[in-house]
Amino acid sequence: MLVRHAYRMLGDYTEAEDAVQDAFLRWARAAQATAVEDDQAFLRTTVTRLCLDRLRSARARRESYVGPWLPEPIIHEAADGPESAAVLADDLSFALLLALERLDPLERAAFLLHDALGVPFSEVAQTLERSEEAVRKLASRARVRVQDAHRGPRVPREKAAQLRDRFLAALQRDDAAALQALLVQDVVLTSDGGGKVAAAAVPIIGSERVTQFFMGVAKKGGAGVRRIEFTEINGLPGIVTFDSAGINLAVAYETDGEHIRAIYAVRNPDKLARLARSLVKEPSP
């Protein structure tokens, strides 16, 4: 729960794990020095404040970030079960994390503590060192700004995965018409290279433009793809691709059950490092 909370605060799973580890070390020292009345509240407060410190130092980096920013992708393991995938789809979706990224850090913290974790406003006020009235306003503003993050009903995993598979099959056949038919008219492709690898400098909007982009990539040989692994990324059907050096791309497909409405492509090698440690295998000959 604490790692998920920190990840929603930061959009970086590796940093989230570091923040939680730091919080537990502080909790252990506090427990040795004196009695901690409420361990969970202590840890929630500490993790939140550590994340706020990280967010403040990250703001300059985000402002100078090259191209669109996407959160570090999380791979869902099949052994975790469908309930785990549903949690990822609801709580850690790219749409929600991007909406949270647009919030002020205090708005984000107030919203996540109260709306996501069910923490009473009295505790939120103590955590953020603001009045209860102030944190209510922070959470209310944030709620309005993220309300579009869950734009549609939950789509069965199998149905969403079928759309992904049909999309990739059409791409392999060079069938532009079939590819475009699978996309909503205002589909958005967001590609994050972080200025370190080639990626679209701005989000690509519209079924025709997104189709042209993917057909162009396919004609260039798929950027040296040696292997594709089908998986779930942040609760969405996705793929991870490998070139001769290892993982080079993680893509998640957001659907409405009938069409693909958003595509999130993470190419920044820094954000793929964690996936590489758990997924990388010898590429197929």
Side-chain angles (χ1 to χ4, degrees), residues 152-155 159 163 182 184 254-261:
R154 181 181 296 173
V155 178
K159 196 169 186 178
L163 283 168
L182 290 169
V184 297
E254 181 183 310
T255 81
D256 60 11
E258 300 296 332
H259 298 88
I260 294 170
R261 63 187 185 190

Side-chain angles (χ1 to χ4, degrees), residues 1-27 29 42-55:
M1 179 272 290
L2 290 171
V3 174
R4 286 202 305 271
H5 174 57
Y7 176 61
R8 286 187 295 241
M9 286 285 295
L10 300 169
D12 186 310
Y13 203 84
T14 302
E15 279 200 28
E17 291 179 319
D18 290 344
V20 172
Q21 183 177 16
D22 192 358
F24 268 92
L25 290 173
R26 297 187 184 203
W27 167 78
R29 289 196 294 267
F42 181 95
L43 287 165
R44 278 195 302 265
T45 295
T46 305
V47 167
T48 300
R49 290 177 177 174
L50 288 170
C51 288
L52 285 171
D53 289 342
R54 283 169 163 81
L55 280 175

